[in-house]
Amino acid sequence: MNCFQERTLCGQWPHLLTRVLQTSRTEEADLAAASITIIQLLATAVGTALVGLTVNIFGITQGDLTHTVSAANGLLWIFMLIPFAAIAIIYFVKPKER
């Protein structure tokens, strides 16, 4: 089963793209279409960089099984904590009222 058959955000991606293009103003349609590709590339680059940094910090370069398992566990824990950190930041950092 690929990601477009599941009911996940991955399966909703074409609908999100359609909604972005529908809600943009006609004079900004080209800019909205270009920004979709830029956001995809940026997300891929940032995710790849975070994975590379994480596994290198946890010792994947050592080459033995112990360090490989350590890197996999570190990757799991870091990427499990990122959404909770984002929720905490959103909760505690509130906009100032004017």
Side-chain angles (χ1 to χ4, degrees), residues 43-58 74-75 78-79 82:
T44 302
V46 169
T48 304
L50 285 174
V51 168
L53 285 170
T54 304
V55 296
N56 282 322
I57 287 170
F58 283 96
L75 190 64
I78 293 293
F79 278 87
I82 287 174

Side-chain angles (χ1 to χ4, degrees), residues 35-91:
S35 67
I36 292 169
T37 304
I38 291 170
I39 289 171
Q40 283 180 320
L41 291 173
L42 181 66
T44 302
V46 169
T48 304
L50 285 174
V51 168
L53 285 170
T54 304
V55 296
N56 282 322
I57 287 170
F58 283 96
I60 193 76
T61 57
Q62 304 298 327
D64 60 344
L65 185 60
T66 306
H67 287 95
T68 303
V69 170
S70 173
N73 285 331
L75 190 64
L76 172 72
W77 283 104
I78 293 293
F79 278 87
M80 275 182 20
L81 293 176
I82 287 174
F84 291 113
I87 291 170
I89 289 170
I90 290 170
Y91 180 75

